[in-house]
């Protein structure tokens, strides 16, 4: 390939790369839409909007003593 052909090929490749970056954006693809909450009544920390002082007030020593661990999914 001669020098002009190489220059044209490199220019076309560079323009293609720029077009790909422009299509995706500099920040990358858009984040996924939020999904439905997981089954079993679990919620994500992003959904919790409780005041920490209210939580501390609710969890008395008696409630902590009677508390049971939340069920965890099986690893298998």
């Amino acid at each position: 390939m001669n020098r002009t052909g190489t220059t044209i090929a490199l220019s076309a490749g560079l323009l293609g790369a720029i077009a790909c970056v422009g299509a995706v954006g500099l920040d990358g693809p858009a984040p996924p839409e939020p999904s439905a909450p997981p089954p079993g009544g679990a919620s994500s920390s992003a959904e919790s909007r409780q005041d920490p002082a209210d939580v501390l007030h609710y969890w008395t020593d008696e409630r902590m003593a009677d508390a049971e661990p939340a069920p965890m999914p099986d690893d298998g």
Side-chain angles (χ1 to χ4, degrees):
M1 188 180 282
N2 62 23
R3 191 171 196 177
T4 304
T6 303
T7 303
I8 292 172
L10 288 173
S11 298
L14 181 59
L15 287 174
I18 291 170
C20 288
V21 170
V24 173
L26 296 177
D27 295 332
E33 292 294 320
S35 61
S43 63
S44 70
S45 61
E47 295 174 11
S48 178
R49 303 284 186 241
Q50 296 176 329
D51 182 6
D54 291 340
V55 174
L56 290 174
H57 179 74
Y58 176 83
W59 285 105
T60 63
D61 290 339
E62 184 177 319
R63 283 191 171 127
M64 287 296 290
D66 292 337
E68 294 182 16
M72 294 290 130
D74 293 333
D75 288 337

